């Protein structure tokens, strides 16, 4: 375990670049004083922002990058233009070279995934990466994956998502054997597409000691916290994530409107302010910002592009936890426990036959 957690930041990523990244890093530093930062991007802009945060400046090193990947670039275009020279690539490369323990970016998701996969490569046996998110539920939090790294997935891919997600849950929630469910349109065994049913059969056959497979979970089970880990492919996972975020903002707007409608409602808000503040914090997407790229030979965190300093600090918090509590070793341990976890997973055709 490193004495310091070294975090590489794509300081130009996201909608606001260094004006959010630097204050966000400063806020994260107040929560984790054992962090060192490597900031990649326009050195003049970064250093200007650092002047307002002397404590952060004291534990940071700035590396100039001429190219910033825009939010609307296609992954192939970003690779051609920014490979080996963009702030995004250099932050990831610092992880590959062992100069940083984790990279955090609020930049273009597709470009970040493409660069991370090309530079860090996949773990042995893992064909496709995934983005895992921490999801607030009525009983605490759950890990949900994939929330947008790739579209579709056969039974073998879904089984590996379950393995990686359970390792993340062990890190975050200090669980010996997290429960795992597959997102489906019903809990009955005959429901769902062939890939999901095949993944269920595969997980039962594997019977891994590091996770407890509980079967299928319907969409409303995510918010209920029906399982510690909920697995789906990236298309439906991303829709579920964006729907939940939009619903949270919708409810918050309803509450604000209702509390300001009459003098009685305003008075009621004054008496119930503590409860409303607690609800607001629970529903605030910034508090759970930071998707973890799983399956790579390195730790990469994706922050929402339009977040503010508080949200970016939350993404840094996630990266800190993934390093400090040994995410990668736990994934490898789960995949290779007793030397056979990988070998008993059939190929995609066999898995759904």
């Amino acid at each position: 375990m490193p004495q310091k957690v070294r975090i590489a930041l794509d300081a130009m990523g996201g909608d606001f670049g260094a004006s959010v990244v630097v204050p966000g890093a400063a806020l994260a530093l107040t929560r984790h004083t054992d962090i060192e930062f490597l900031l990649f991007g326009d050195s003049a802009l970064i250093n200007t922002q650092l002047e307002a945060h002397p404590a952060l400046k004291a534990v940071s090193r700035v590396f100039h990058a001429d190219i910033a990947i825009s939010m609307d670039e296609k992954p192939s275009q970003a690779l051609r233009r920014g490979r080996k020279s963009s702030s995004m690539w250099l932050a990831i490369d610092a992880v590959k070279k062992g100069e940083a323990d984790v990279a955090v970016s609020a930049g273009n998701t597709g470009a970040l995934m493409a660069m991370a996969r090309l530079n860090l490569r996949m773990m042995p046996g893992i064909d496709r990466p995934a983005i895992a998110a921490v999801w607030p539920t009525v009983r605490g939090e759950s890990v949900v994956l994939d929330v947008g790294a790739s579209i579709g997935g056969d039974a073998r891919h879904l089984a590996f998502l379950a393995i990686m997600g359970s390792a993340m849950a062990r890190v975050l929630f200090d669980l010996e054997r997290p429960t795992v469910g597959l997102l489906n349109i019903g809990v009955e065994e005959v429901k769902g597409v062939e890939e999901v049913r095949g993944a269920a059969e595969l997980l039962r056959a594997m019977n891994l000691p590091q996770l407890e497979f509980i079967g299928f979970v319907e969409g409303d089970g995510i918010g209920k916290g029906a399982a510690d880990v909920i697995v789906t492919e990236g298309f439906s996972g991303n829709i579920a994530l964006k729907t939940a975020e939009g619903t949270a903002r919708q409810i918050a707007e309803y509450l604000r409107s209702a509390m300001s409608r009459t003098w009685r409602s305003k008075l009621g808000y004054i008496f119930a302010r503590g409860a409303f503040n607690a609800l607001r914090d629970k529903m605030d997407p910034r508090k759970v910002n930071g998707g973890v790229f799983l399956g790579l030979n390195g730790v990469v965190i994706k922050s929402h592009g339009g977040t503010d300093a508080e949200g970016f600090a939350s993404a840094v918090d996630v990266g800190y936890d993934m390093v400090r509590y040994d995410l990668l070793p736990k994934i490898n341990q789960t995949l290779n426990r007793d030397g056979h976890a990988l070998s008993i997973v059939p190929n995609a055709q066999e898995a759904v036959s």
Side-chain angles (χ1 to χ4, degrees), residues 290-304:
V292 184
F293 285 9
L294 297 179
L296 301 167
N297 287 307
V299 184
V300 177
I301 308 298
K302 172 65 175 72
S303 166
H304 285 308

Side-chain angles (χ1 to χ4, degrees), residues 22-165:
V22 173
L27 182 57
L29 183 63
T30 65
R31 303 197 280 247
H32 311 288
T33 57
D34 55 339
I35 293 179
E36 293 178 349
F37 287 102
L38 291 73
L39 291 93
F40 296 88
D42 186 321
S43 57
L45 289 176
I46 297 171
N47 284 321
T48 298
Q49 291 290 329
L50 283 174
E51 289 302 320
H53 305 280
L56 175 64
K57 183 177 181 180
V59 297
S60 297
R61 287 180 287 161
V62 178
F63 300 87
H64 183 75
D66 292 320
I67 296 175
I69 301 301
S70 67
M71 297 297 283
D72 59 353
E73 286 189 62
K74 294 181 179 179
S76 57
Q77 179 185 3
L79 281 173
R80 286 194 300 271
R81 194 172 72 88
R83 184 178 178 183
K84 299 187 177 181
S85 56
S86 65
S87 57
M88 182 181 289
W89 177 278
L90 292 174
I92 297 168
D93 199 47
V95 176
K96 180 181 180 180
K97 292 176 178 177
E99 297 167 353
D101 302 302
V102 55
V104 182
S105 174
N108 181 318
T109 302
L112 184 65
M113 180 60 75
M115 289 187 179
R117 186 171 183 176
L118 179 63
N119 202 352
L120 297 175
R121 307 294 182 181
M122 302 301 298
M123 286 182 166
I126 304 295
D127 299 323
R128 302 162 67 186
I131 303 177
V134 178
W135 201 291
T137 73
V138 295
R139 70 179 187 91
E141 291 177 328
S142 296
V143 172
V144 180
L145 73 164
D146 177 15
V147 293
S150 56
I151 305 301
D154 57 29
R156 187 173 187 271
H157 175 64
L158 293 174
F160 276 128
L161 292 183
I163 291 171
M164 294 189 294

Side-chain angles (χ1 to χ4, degrees), residues 282-299:
K282 187 70 174 177
M283 296 173 58
D284 189 348
R286 301 176 304 168
K287 303 295 185 180
V288 290
N289 182 40
V292 184
F293 285 9
L294 297 179
L296 301 167
N297 287 307
V299 184

